[in-house]
Amino acid sequence: MRAAIRLASPARAGVRSLTACRASPLPLPTFSSPSSILRRHPPLRTIPPQRAFSNAVPRQNNWRDPRHQDPHEQLRRAKPLFTSEGFSRFLRSPSLHTVVVLSAGGAVAFYFMNIQTVPVSGRQRFNCYSEAKVKQVGEAQAKRIEYEVERSGGRFLSDWDGRTRLVKKVMRRLIPVSGMEDEEWEVRVIDDPSTVNAFVLPGGKVFVYSGLIPIARNEHGLAAVLGHEIAHNLAQHVAERMSSQLGANILIYSAIALKGGFGFLVPTYIGQVILDLVFSRPMGRRQEAEADYIGLMMMAEACYDPREALGFWERMKRAQQEEPPEWISTHPSNSNRIQKIQEWMPKALDKMRESDCQGTAGFASLFRQALEKHIFIEQRHDI
């Protein structure tokens, strides 16, 4: 019996196999929970990135933002501004020697170009400030005084107050003989009975404390004080003081620089005190004596009795019981001042008799001309 072998076609075989798959489905795997998978498979490890072309360990970045640096650290790392070696090289440098020689020569030339002679005393002085500059300083000082008086709770007397009217009356007679009629004169009386003082700033700013008026007593006594204060401006004493301070400061700071800075401060301070006692204070007393003489002549020319000046300073002497020694003061003692005025009194009385009482600035005009021409009016050795 011949066996018949029959081959199924591929298509049918495929159909049959699919049918078989459908008839007997394969069992699906069962999972208990998602956490069992995580327990079964450990997490992946992160591998740090490797730098290309190098197997070296990455360096630590020490950069710091300069805006947030520690000031103590900056101070610790800072280099000293001045060193002894650097200063020694600076002192030995030829350029410094040239600068010092030229500066010293220029300073000496500048000094002698600004030497003046005070016409009434013959005193030589250094004055490098112009009248316009000194006037600016006076106006600024006047504003400061007004501010300080108001800030401290003080007040100025009104123009209708009898004391203010008295001061203005005296000034109306003194201004024509002052040689400074073109100034913008202002009179302010400070209400302070405990202060006995008055001063005239450059530019015509007059300040009088109310405590001075009872000691002055009358127009003549007040004219003695105001004439003295106006004389300071006529003789340009304010400019002279500013010039002397300028020269002293140049000497002091030059010494500090040449001696190595702050190590020379204590000897410089001592030198400044000595300079003040030996030069500044005696010069201040000479200025006061010159102002006494010029003021006495001006009040006499304005037809005020110069003998009232003696009475005023006698009352000032009684009011100032404890007066400092003259050698440490910028003002002469009241006794010395009275003695000088007595010596000048014959000249002042002659000036009053010669005056026409019309406010001619004869003496002041002569003084200004002599100051400009570097000549004497009269060389008095008692000033």
Side-chain angles (χ1 to χ4, degrees), residues 33-55:
S33 65
S35 60
S36 61
I37 300 176
L38 297 177
R39 286 195 298 270
R40 220 171 271 147
H41 302 282
L44 298 176
R45 289 186 304 169
T46 58
I47 302 175
Q50 296 295 326
R51 295 198 311 167
F53 309 111
S54 176
N55 295 323

Side-chain angles (χ1 to χ4, degrees), residues 91-374:
L91 291 180
R92 291 193 301 266
S93 62
S95 59
L96 174 64
H97 300 162
T98 304
V99 170
V100 169
V101 171
L102 292 178
S103 300
V108 171
F110 180 74
Y111 176 81
F112 283 104
M113 287 174 60
N114 291 278
I115 289 294
Q116 291 180 339
T117 302
V118 182
V120 294
S121 63
R123 180 174 61 90
Q124 299 285 320
R125 68 179 183 185
F126 171 65
N127 180 14
C128 64
Y129 283 94
S130 64
E131 292 188 26
K133 179 61 178 178
V134 176
K135 184 177 178 180
Q136 292 178 359
V137 174
E139 291 175 350
Q141 186 69 15
K143 293 179 181 178
R144 179 182 176 184
I145 292 172
E146 292 173 354
Y147 170 77
E148 290 293 337
V149 170
E150 294 173 356
R151 188 178 65 88
S152 61
R155 71 183 187 96
F156 294 97
L157 299 180
S158 67
D159 292 339
W160 300 104
D161 191 284
R163 291 162 290 184
T164 305
R165 295 170 64 184
L166 176 64
V167 175
K168 288 187 174 182
K169 181 179 180 181
V170 174
M171 287 301 300
R172 277 194 291 267
R173 288 176 61 176
L174 288 176
I175 290 173
V177 299
S178 67
M180 296 179 287
E181 303 92 320
D182 298 333
E183 300 288 354
E184 298 178 0
W185 292 91
E186 296 181 16
V187 174
R188 306 298 302 272
V189 179
I190 303 171
D191 187 12
D192 187 356
S194 62
T195 303
V196 182
N197 195 12
F199 50 90
V200 178
L201 296 176
K205 306 301 184 277
V206 182
F207 291 90
V208 177
Y209 287 86
S210 60
L212 175 71
I213 296 176
I215 296 181
R217 288 189 180 178
N218 52 38
E219 293 183 37
H220 300 271
L222 194 57
V225 181
L226 295 177
H228 169 90
E229 298 301 329
I230 294 173
H232 277 305
N233 291 273
L234 177 63
Q236 301 179 8
H237 286 159
V238 175
E240 181 184 356
R241 292 170 194 165
M242 292 169 58
S243 302
S244 63
Q245 290 175 359
L246 175 65
N249 290 337
I250 291 175
L251 290 175
I252 290 170
Y253 289 117
S254 298
I256 291 175
L258 292 176
K259 290 295 181 179
F262 295 101
F264 194 64
L265 283 180
V266 174
T268 300
Y269 175 75
I270 297 174
Q272 188 175 12
V273 172
I274 296 174
L275 185 66
D276 183 54
L277 291 175
V278 174
F279 176 72
S280 299
R281 294 180 186 273
M283 183 185 68
R285 293 192 290 270
R286 290 294 301 274
Q287 291 176 347
E288 290 295 320
E290 291 167 359
D292 282 340
Y293 180 81
I294 297 170
L296 194 68
M297 298 301 118
M298 282 200 300
M299 71 173 291
E301 202 165 46
C303 285
Y304 283 116
D305 190 351
R307 289 167 292 194
E308 288 288 337
L310 290 172
F312 171 79
W313 290 112
E314 288 285 356
R315 293 189 290 272
M316 282 291 293
K317 182 180 178 180
R318 291 193 295 267
Q320 296 175 344
Q321 296 295 334
E322 297 182 0
E323 189 177 8
E326 186 176 87
W327 65 275
I328 63 171
S329 176
T330 57
H331 289 63
S333 64
N334 290 320
S335 299
N336 190 18
R337 191 168 241 159
I338 292 168
Q339 179 184 352
K340 292 294 183 181
I341 292 176
Q342 287 174 342
E343 295 175 5
W344 304 329
M345 191 56 61
K347 177 74 174 178
L349 291 174
D350 291 341
K351 179 69 68 176
M352 184 178 66
R353 284 190 291 266
E354 294 170 0
S355 173
D356 56 0
C357 296
Q358 299 298 319
T360 5
F363 182 83
S365 300
L366 188 61
F367 183 93
R368 280 186 172 275
Q369 293 174 8
L371 189 62
E372 293 173 358
K373 297 178 180 179
H374 303 279

